[in-house]
């Protein structure tokens, strides 16, 4: 079936990070040959629109191309079941740990699934679920937004921004805001992170010397 964009509910769009390179390739394909694979939707009775389960990149890019409709297929499932099935079907396209954490948090908060239920659904241990949820909780939402937009890589965020935010949440936000416009690689983020820590250490030493001189 063909759906107009105003008929779509995009409530789960923020559960996946964006890759500018992948989106450029898909945009080129859509412009050249059109939409080949339909998006996946469900139609819960509690919602007047069709809830998109899979195909957010296609929706975004078809809009950019000036299209009025998107081809869709409807699954006769509840939202939670559809979300879980979609994740199982694309298991080869593995999510990173942050995306896993976003997904687990959504299932917990929206559908009330417990840590034990989530571990059974994913075939993982309760400690795996707990670690993913803790990872999401440790990063400020502004940092999550940079990762979702593709401005900061998930690996760089986990390796450098999580420890920084754990020690000082405001510092984690400031470094992320400074790095996001630069679109740094993980290696470049490592250099910037080291320089940031070095500058902080130097600043502490200067302030300590000033206090000792005033004593």
């Amino acid at each position: 079936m063909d759906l107009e964009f105003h008929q779509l509910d995009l409530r789960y769009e923020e559960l996946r990070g964006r890759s500018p390179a992948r989106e450029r390739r898909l945009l080129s394909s859509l412009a050249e040959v059109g939409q080949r694979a339909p998006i996946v939707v469900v139609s819960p009775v509690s919602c007047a629109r069709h809830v998109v389960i899979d195909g957010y990149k296609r929706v975004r890019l078809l809009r950019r191309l000036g299209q009025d409709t998107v081809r869709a297929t409807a699954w006769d499932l509840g939202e939670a079941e559809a979300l879980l099935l979609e994740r199982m079907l694309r298991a080869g396209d593995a999510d990173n740990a942050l995306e896993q954490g976003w997904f687990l948090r959504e299932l917990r908060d929206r559908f009330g699934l417990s840590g034990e239920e989530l571990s059974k659904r994913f075939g993982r241990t309760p400690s795996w679920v707990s670690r993913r949820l803790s990872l999401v909780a440790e990063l400020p939402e502004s940092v999550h937004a940079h990762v979702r937009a593709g401005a900061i890589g998930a690996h760089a965020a986990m390796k450098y921004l999580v420890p920084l935010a754990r020690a000082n949440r405001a510092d984690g936000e400031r470094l992320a805001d400074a790095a996001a416009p630069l679109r740094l690689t993980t290696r470049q983020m490592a250099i910037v992170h080291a320089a940031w820590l070095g500058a902080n250490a130097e600043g502490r030493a200067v302030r300590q010397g000033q206090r000792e001189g005033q004593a």
Side-chain angles (χ1 to χ4, degrees):
M1 61 179 172
D2 289 336
L3 297 174
E4 297 180 3
F5 294 119
H6 70 84
Q7 295 177 281
L8 303 178
D9 185 317
L10 307 176
R11 66 183 65 176
Y12 300 117
E13 185 171 13
E14 299 304 309
L15 297 184
R16 296 295 305 275
R18 301 186 187 186
S19 167
R22 288 184 180 181
E23 297 212 1
R24 284 193 298 270
R25 290 194 294 270
L26 180 56
L27 181 64
S28 176
S29 174
L30 289 170
E32 184 177 350
V33 301
Q35 182 189 358
R36 290 183 290 185
I39 67 169
V40 175
V41 300
V42 295
S43 304
V45 294
S46 59
C47 182
R49 294 182 292 173
H50 302 274
V51 177
V52 177
I53 300 298
D54 179 57
Y56 284 99
K57 286 197 296 291
R58 276 161 282 171
V59 171
R60 284 196 300 271
L61 299 178
L62 286 168
R63 275 177 165 166
R64 284 181 59 184
L65 291 170
Q67 299 297 312
D68 297 319
T69 61
V70 58
R71 192 164 73 256
T73 185
W75 285 355
D76 187 18
L77 293 170
E79 287 180 59
E81 290 75 14
L83 288 167
L84 287 162
L85 176 59
E86 189 272 333
R87 293 286 163 132
M88 291 173 58
L89 291 176
R90 61 175 179 81
D93 184 18
D95 296 335
N96 60 60
L98 277 177
E99 289 175 325
Q100 291 168 347
W102 297 336
F103 188 60
L104 290 166
R105 182 174 63 177
E106 185 74 17
L107 292 175
R108 181 197 65 188
D109 295 349
R110 185 181 293 272
F111 301 107
L113 296 183
S114 67
E116 183 177 353
E117 289 173 314
L118 290 170
S119 67
K120 290 178 180 178
R121 294 286 192 118
F122 280 82
R124 301 279 190 165
T125 64
S127 63
W128 180 88
V129 172
S130 179
R131 288 196 303 272
R132 293 299 186 275
L133 290 173
S134 295
L135 178 66
V136 169
E138 286 169 342
L139 275 181
E141 282 303 317
S142 62
V143 181
H144 288 297
H146 290 313
V147 175
R148 289 189 186 101
I152 294 177
H155 182 67
M158 290 183 287
K159 188 168 184 180
Y160 301 109
L161 296 178
V162 167
L164 185 60
R166 190 179 294 143
N168 187 315
R169 198 170 183 86
D171 275 355
E173 289 184 289
R174 283 194 288 268
L175 179 55
D177 289 344
L182 304 176
R183 304 272 174 165
L184 302 176
T185 65
T186 300
R187 179 173 296 183
Q188 290 169 331
M189 179 65 85
I191 296 170
V192 170
H193 177 259
W196 179 278
L197 294 181
N200 286 346
E202 182 180 353
R204 288 194 296 268
V206 170
R207 289 193 296 270
Q208 179 65 30
Q210 290 174 340
R211 286 196 296 269
E212 291 174 353
Q214 294 168 354

